[in-house]
Amino acid sequence: MAYLATPSATAETIRRFDFNFQKKYGQNFLVDGNILKKIIDAAEITREDCVIEIGPGIGTMTQYLAEAAGKVIAVEVDKNLIPVLKETLSAYSNVKVVNQDILKVDISRLAEEENSGRPIKVVANLPYYITTPIIMGLFESCAPISDITVMVQKEVADRIKAGPGGKDYGVLSLAVQYYAEPEIVMNVSPECFMPKPKVGSSVIRLTRHPKPPVEAGSEEKLFSVIRAAFNQRRKTLANSLANSTFLLDGEGVQLKITRQQVCDALEKMEISPTVRGEALTLEEFAVLCNLL
Ligand code: SAM
């Protein structure tokens, strides 16, 4: 089987199929076999694993996944790539290609149908334009995903990994860290792709927590407090949260919070009333949320 992970094999394949890169689909194909091997290693794939790959492109990463995993479900939105994948993956009987938009796939159902509801891994060189909805959609789907190892824009990896205090820390850091432990596996140069992206890239592994690390009572309330806290970063937390309304889980009840209530809660937590949202840890947000 000819591997596609070189510039010449990729160029030859797209020429043969008369394929045109679609910018709107974030198509930057990997052309470096060493990077692919490192991604497979970081994802710790074994023959026991069922892997979902998002956006197989011409099948470059899929070949490596198929050789390591028991089963690979590759979800590709671009119908022009389906005939290419049919040929480049013809040697692998353990790969199923699904021509669909990943944001419209019922991941829980897919995991149930393809792996009898057992834990699945997600591995991908993601289309960067929808990185956040993909990652949050996977976590919020309640599908049994054990870990996610993906190539993302470097700036996004830094934001996911960030802790309190820095400029990268925000809603994305807290939302992802609520569900998983992030680890930056490596940074990847634009030279490793065809065509070369204009931004740097990083591979990040998100290992799902067996249960969320904090008790927030209501996830919906926790995330709305966090979103409101970072809405205007330069304001103090008390000013950001003052007069915000939060939906209480499921019941459609709206909770309006006053500045004084936030200050009282911060006092109980022995935190200055002039603190900014970016200084609080996930745990502190959970405590604050329970006090409000
Ligand atoms: N995995 C290939 C590789 O590494 O060479 C291609 C990665 S490329 C960065 C992103 C891939 O995601 C493209 O094949 C693109 O067509 C596909 N894609 C874009 N949007 C998608 C979506 N909503 N659902 C599924 N696939 C999508």
Side-chain angles (χ1 to χ4, degrees):
M1 178 84 236
Y3 286 107
L4 298 158
T6 62
S8 56
T10 297
E12 200 273 324
T13 305
I14 61 172
R15 186 194 51 75
R16 207 153 39 80
F17 282 88
D18 204 13
F19 173 76
N20 292 312
F21 287 102
Q22 299 251 30
K23 228 177 163 176
K24 67 170 180 183
Y25 286 142
Q27 292 174 339
N28 299 94
F29 298 163
L30 270 165
V31 291
D32 187 317
N34 286 327
I35 299 289
L36 281 157
K37 281 188 201 127
K38 286 184 190 164
I39 294 173
I40 305 295
D41 283 352
E44 297 179 297
I45 298 166
T46 72
R47 282 283 173 212
E48 303 295 304
D49 288 317
C50 174
V51 176
I52 295 183
E53 185 193 5
I54 298 161
I58 58 171
T60 315
M61 181 186 277
T62 328
Q63 293 182 328
Y64 286 74
L65 290 171
E67 286 176 10
K71 190 173 192 180
V72 182
I73 316 295
V75 182
E76 174 56 62
V77 72
D78 186 351
K79 67 176 184 346
N80 293 331
L81 287 166
I82 304 306
V84 185
L85 290 164
K86 196 162 187 227
E87 189 202 278
T88 57
L89 302 175
S90 59
Y92 303 103
S93 57
N94 59 343
V95 178
K96 179 172 173 180
V97 175
V98 179
N99 183 200
Q100 239 181 301
D101 176 346
I102 189 66
L103 297 179
K104 297 194 179 135
V105 173
D106 182 340
I107 303 285
S108 289
R109 198 161 132 198
L110 192 67
E112 189 56 52
E113 285 170 4
E114 300 294 342
N115 205 33
S116 312
R118 287 190 304 272
I120 45 173
K121 287 175 178 274
V122 175
V123 184
N125 170 17
L126 286 182
Y128 293 173
Y129 73 106
I130 42 172
T131 300
T132 304
I134 289 178
I135 292 178
M136 294 318 297
L138 290 170
F139 285 136
E140 286 163 5
S141 72
C142 299
I145 293 166
S146 59
D147 47 89
I148 301 175
T149 305
V150 282
M151 181 85 72
V152 297
Q153 194 175 331
K154 180 177 182 304
E155 187 201 307
V156 174
D158 291 342
R159 278 166 47 209
I160 288 176
K161 176 74 189 162
K167 67 168 177 31
D168 290 334
Y169 186 59
V171 180
L172 185 63
S173 331
L174 286 155
V176 172
Q177 291 169 29
Y178 177 78
Y179 290 106
E181 169 78 35
E183 177 201 347
I184 295 183
V185 175
M186 63 182 157
N187 294 328
V188 180
S189 141
E191 301 298 319
C192 302
F193 301 84
M194 181 186 288
K196 296 184 187 95
K198 290 196 176 72
V199 292
S201 302
S202 299
V203 175
I204 191 159
R205 177 178 160 136
L206 310 172
T207 308
R208 195 171 194 147
H209 301 305
K211 68 181 190 50
V214 297
E215 277 285 333
S218 149
E219 264 178 36
E220 204 176 355
K221 187 171 157 202
L222 175 66
F223 285 124
S224 54
V225 167
I226 290 173
R227 266 193 300 273
F230 286 94
N231 219 355
Q232 289 157 295
R233 290 185 78 107
R234 286 173 38 206
K235 279 195 177 178
T236 64
L237 182 63
N239 282 340
S240 297
L241 297 189
N243 300 320
S244 319
T245 37
F246 304 112
L247 261 186
L248 284 184
D249 242 5
E251 295 162 21
V253 179
Q254 296 221 335
L255 176 73
K256 197 162 189 161
I257 289 174
T258 64
R259 192 177 176 283
Q260 193 53 47
Q261 283 173 310
V262 183
C263 290
D264 291 347
L266 289 172
E267 197 182 342
K268 281 195 191 124
M269 295 168 68
E270 296 180 12
I271 293 177
S272 157
T274 61
V275 74
R276 291 202 181 135
E278 65 197 31
L280 261 61
T281 63
L282 177 60
E283 203 172 351
E284 287 167 335
F285 270 113
V287 174
L288 174 68
C289 189
N290 286 324
L291 286 172
L292 286 174

